[in-house]
């Protein structure tokens, strides 16, 4: 089966909202991890800047 057929089968079995939610979570997971790393780096930089004063 192709990925599209698998997607349609999953949508028929568990419903479109569930399939869409899972798809979005999988797609956004990497971006959320990158954002988390950036926020951590920013917090570290701000903390180091605060110690210089």
């Amino acid at each position: 089966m192709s990925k599209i057929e698998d997607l349609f089968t999953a949508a028929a079995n568990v419903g479109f909202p569930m399939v869409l939610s899972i798809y979005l979570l999988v797609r956004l997971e990497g971006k959320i991890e990158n954002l988390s790393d950036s926020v951590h780096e920013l917090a570290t930089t701000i903390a180091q800047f605060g110690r210089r004063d």
Side-chain angles (χ1 to χ4, degrees):
M1 258 200 249
S2 71
K3 290 183 180 183
I4 297 295
E5 290 174 351
D6 292 341
L7 184 62
F8 287 145
T9 302
N13 289 335
V14 297
F16 180 75
M18 182 67 84
V19 171
L20 182 62
S21 298
I22 292 169
Y23 173 76
L24 290 175
L25 284 172
V26 169
R27 290 278 298 165
L28 294 177
E29 181 181 6
K31 293 178 183 179
I32 291 172
E33 287 177 9
N34 288 340
L35 181 60
S36 179
D37 292 342
S38 296
V39 168
H40 178 67
E41 183 180 336
L42 178 61
T44 303
T45 303
I46 290 173
Q48 289 174 353
F49 181 74
R51 291 184 208 152
R52 291 182 184 170
D53 291 342

